[in-house]
Amino acid sequence: MSFRDPVCGMVLDENTAKFKITYEGETYHFCSIICKKKFKRQPIKYTK
């Protein structure tokens, strides 16, 4: 299964996606800690 980083748009494999956050019942995966932090600061911007 693959996921798309909501911040930068990178396609990630479930086995290599190390960073994730659950927001409003949905899990989001990130390519880096930087993208994860950006999402955490402004989740609404990336979940619309």
Side-chain angles (χ1 to χ4, degrees):
M1 180 179 271
S2 63
F3 304 98
R4 186 170 297 277
D5 184 320
V7 177
C8 71
M10 181 182 284
V11 176
L12 307 164
D13 182 86
E14 68 179 321
N15 297 318
T16 58
K18 298 176 186 172
F19 306 99
K20 58 186 174 181
I21 288 178
T22 300
Y23 175 73
E24 293 189 349
E26 190 164 342
T27 301
Y28 297 91
H29 296 79
F30 305 93
C31 69
S32 68
I33 193 71
I34 294 167
C35 283
K36 181 179 176 182
K37 285 180 179 180
K38 285 181 180 180
F39 181 91
K40 200 171 182 179
R41 281 193 295 263
Q42 294 180 304
I44 294 171
K45 178 180 178 180
Y46 301 108
T47 57
K48 286 185 176 181

